[in-house]
mmCIF file of all heavy atoms in Angstrom:
data_model
loop_
_atom_site.group_PDB
_atom_site.id
_atom_site.type_symbol
_atom_site.label_atom_id
_atom_site.label_comp_id
_atom_site.label_asym_id
_atom_site.label_seq_id
_atom_site.Cartn_x
_atom_site.Cartn_y
_atom_site.Cartn_z
ATOM 1 N N SER A 90 277.412 18.563 59.951
ATOM 2 C CA SER A 90 277.101 17.849 58.710
ATOM 3 C C SER A 90 278.336 18.048 57.767
ATOM 4 O O SER A 90 278.726 17.034 57.030
ATOM 5 C CB SER A 90 275.876 18.389 58.063
ATOM 6 O OG SER A 90 275.631 17.794 56.834
ATOM 7 N N THR A 91 278.902 19.218 57.670
ATOM 8 C CA THR A 91 280.069 19.423 56.851
ATOM 9 C C THR A 91 281.263 18.530 57.238
ATOM 10 O O THR A 91 281.926 17.921 56.380
ATOM 11 C CB THR A 91 280.493 20.902 56.844
ATOM 12 O OG1 THR A 91 279.369 21.735 56.407
ATOM 13 C CG2 THR A 91 281.712 21.209 56.122
ATOM 14 N N LEU A 92 281.525 18.536 58.579
ATOM 15 C CA LEU A 92 282.597 17.695 59.046
ATOM 16 C C LEU A 92 282.330 16.187 58.796
ATOM 17 O O LEU A 92 283.319 15.465 58.465
ATOM 18 C CB LEU A 92 282.867 17.981 60.530
ATOM 19 C CG LEU A 92 283.427 19.284 60.917
ATOM 20 C CD1 LEU A 92 283.363 19.573 62.424
ATOM 21 C CD2 LEU A 92 284.781 19.469 60.337
ATOM 22 N N ALA A 93 281.084 15.746 58.923
ATOM 23 C CA ALA A 93 280.757 14.370 58.677
ATOM 24 C C ALA A 93 281.021 13.950 57.230
ATOM 25 O O ALA A 93 281.539 12.882 56.917
ATOM 26 C CB ALA A 93 279.323 14.069 59.111
ATOM 27 N N LEU A 94 280.595 14.880 56.319
ATOM 28 C CA LEU A 94 280.858 14.548 54.888
ATOM 29 C C LEU A 94 282.331 14.558 54.587
ATOM 30 O O LEU A 94 282.827 13.762 53.813
ATOM 31 C CB LEU A 94 280.103 15.625 54.060
ATOM 32 C CG LEU A 94 280.206 15.434 52.530
ATOM 33 C CD1 LEU A 94 279.798 14.034 52.114
ATOM 34 C CD2 LEU A 94 279.403 16.523 51.820
ATOM 35 N N ALA A 95 283.089 15.415 55.229
ATOM 36 C CA ALA A 95 284.557 15.460 55.026
ATOM 37 C C ALA A 95 285.136 14.199 55.513
ATOM 38 O O ALA A 95 286.075 13.612 54.824
ATOM 39 C CB ALA A 95 285.169 16.684 55.713
ATOM 40 N N ARG A 96 284.728 13.651 56.631
ATOM 41 C CA ARG A 96 285.305 12.390 57.145
ATOM 42 C C ARG A 96 284.923 11.254 56.145
ATOM 43 O O ARG A 96 285.719 10.402 55.884
ATOM 44 C CB ARG A 96 284.724 12.057 58.507
ATOM 45 C CG ARG A 96 285.439 12.784 59.622
ATOM 46 C CD ARG A 96 285.011 12.298 61.009
ATOM 47 N NE ARG A 96 285.294 13.394 61.952
ATOM 48 C CZ ARG A 96 284.360 14.305 62.305
ATOM 49 N NH1 ARG A 96 283.138 14.282 61.881
ATOM 50 N NH2 ARG A 96 284.729 15.201 63.230
ATOM 51 N N GLN A 97 283.651 11.290 55.669
ATOM 52 C CA GLN A 97 283.224 10.265 54.772
ATOM 53 C C GLN A 97 284.070 10.302 53.469
ATOM 54 O O GLN A 97 284.352 9.227 52.942
ATOM 55 C CB GLN A 97 281.744 10.511 54.451
ATOM 56 C CG GLN A 97 281.139 9.524 53.404
ATOM 57 C CD GLN A 97 279.710 9.853 53.103
ATOM 58 O OE1 GLN A 97 279.180 10.895 53.514
ATOM 59 N NE2 GLN A 97 279.094 9.020 52.323
ATOM 60 N N GLN A 98 284.401 11.461 52.996
ATOM 61 C CA GLN A 98 285.193 11.608 51.807
ATOM 62 C C GLN A 98 286.673 11.645 52.068
ATOM 63 O O GLN A 98 287.488 11.800 51.097
ATOM 64 C CB GLN A 98 284.751 12.821 51.036
ATOM 65 C CG GLN A 98 283.309 12.839 50.529
ATOM 66 C CD GLN A 98 283.019 11.681 49.554
ATOM 67 O OE1 GLN A 98 283.932 11.322 48.751
ATOM 68 N NE2 GLN A 98 281.808 11.247 49.557
ATOM 69 N N ASN A 99 287.067 11.558 53.285
ATOM 70 C CA ASN A 99 288.505 11.589 53.661
ATOM 71 C C ASN A 99 289.210 12.851 53.117
ATOM 72 O O ASN A 99 290.277 12.764 52.461
ATOM 73 C CB ASN A 99 289.207 10.299 53.182
ATOM 74 C CG ASN A 99 290.529 10.119 53.822
ATOM 75 O OD1 ASN A 99 290.713 10.553 55.043
ATOM 76 N ND2 ASN A 99 291.497 9.535 53.143
ATOM 77 N N THR A 100 288.626 13.999 53.344
ATOM 78 C CA THR A 100 289.250 15.260 52.969
ATOM 79 C C THR A 100 289.242 16.241 54.099
ATOM 80 O O THR A 100 288.341 16.149 55.023
ATOM 81 C CB THR A 100 288.544 15.846 51.690
ATOM 82 O OG1 THR A 100 289.323 17.048 51.266
ATOM 83 C CG2 THR A 100 287.050 16.266 52.021
ATOM 84 N N MET A 101 290.182 17.115 54.070
ATOM 85 C CA MET A 101 290.213 18.224 55.032
ATOM 86 C C MET A 101 290.219 19.553 54.339
ATOM 87 O O MET A 101 290.737 20.553 54.822
ATOM 88 C CB MET A 101 291.422 18.137 55.979
ATOM 89 C CG MET A 101 291.192 17.124 57.130
ATOM 90 S SD MET A 101 289.930 17.723 58.363
ATOM 91 C CE MET A 101 288.636 16.476 58.196
ATOM 92 N N ARG A 102 289.699 19.607 53.148
ATOM 93 C CA ARG A 102 289.540 20.819 52.395
ATOM 94 C C ARG A 102 288.030 21.239 52.386
ATOM 95 O O ARG A 102 287.202 20.445 52.117
ATOM 96 C CB ARG A 102 289.978 20.647 50.956
ATOM 97 C CG ARG A 102 291.491 20.514 50.840
ATOM 98 C CD ARG A 102 291.828 20.438 49.326
ATOM 99 N NE ARG A 102 293.256 20.306 49.170
ATOM 100 C CZ ARG A 102 293.854 20.324 48.055
ATOM 101 N NH1 ARG A 102 293.161 20.480 46.911
ATOM 102 N NH2 ARG A 102 295.191 20.186 47.953
ATOM 103 N N PHE A 103 287.848 22.489 52.667
ATOM 104 C CA PHE A 103 286.513 23.041 52.760
ATOM 105 C C PHE A 103 286.370 24.355 51.991
ATOM 106 O O PHE A 103 287.299 25.138 51.975
ATOM 107 C CB PHE A 103 286.160 23.321 54.241
ATOM 108 C CG PHE A 103 286.230 22.164 55.125
ATOM 109 C CD1 PHE A 103 287.413 21.723 55.751
ATOM 110 C CD2 PHE A 103 285.143 21.310 55.252
ATOM 111 C CE1 PHE A 103 287.460 20.608 56.532
ATOM 112 C CE2 PHE A 103 285.228 20.187 56.110
ATOM 113 C CZ PHE A 103 286.411 19.838 56.696
ATOM 114 N N LEU A 104 285.212 24.465 51.393
ATOM 115 C CA LEU A 104 284.928 25.631 50.599
ATOM 116 C C LEU A 104 283.547 26.103 51.127
ATOM 117 O O LEU A 104 282.552 25.342 51.087
ATOM 118 C CB LEU A 104 284.854 25.358 49.096
ATOM 119 C CG LEU A 104 284.457 26.489 48.146
ATOM 120 C CD1 LEU A 104 285.466 27.673 48.266
ATOM 121 C CD2 LEU A 104 284.472 25.985 46.745
ATOM 122 N N ALA A 105 283.552 27.292 51.687
ATOM 123 C CA ALA A 105 282.260 27.843 52.259
ATOM 124 C C ALA A 105 281.822 29.047 51.460
ATOM 125 O O ALA A 105 282.496 30.023 51.275
ATOM 126 C CB ALA A 105 282.545 28.280 53.717
ATOM 127 N N ASP A 106 280.669 28.953 50.845
ATOM 128 C CA ASP A 106 280.029 30.076 50.129
ATOM 129 C C ASP A 106 279.100 30.791 51.120
ATOM 130 O O ASP A 106 277.977 30.338 51.364
ATOM 131 C CB ASP A 106 279.305 29.529 48.901
ATOM 132 C CG ASP A 106 278.719 30.688 48.086
ATOM 133 O OD1 ASP A 106 278.778 31.823 48.506
ATOM 134 O OD2 ASP A 106 278.159 30.364 47.047
ATOM 135 N N CYS A 107 279.578 31.892 51.613
ATOM 136 C CA CYS A 107 278.817 32.753 52.544
ATOM 137 C C CYS A 107 278.308 34.022 51.881
ATOM 138 O O CYS A 107 277.879 34.971 52.541
ATOM 139 C CB CYS A 107 279.703 33.129 53.778
ATOM 140 S SG CYS A 107 280.215 31.678 54.681
#
Side-chain angles (χ1 to χ4, degrees):
S90 178
T91 298
L92 290 171
L94 182 55
R96 279 189 204 94
Q97 179 184 4
Q98 297 297 331
N99 196 32
T100 186
M101 278 292 117
R102 288 185 182 185
F103 299 89
L104 180 57
D106 182 354
C107 297

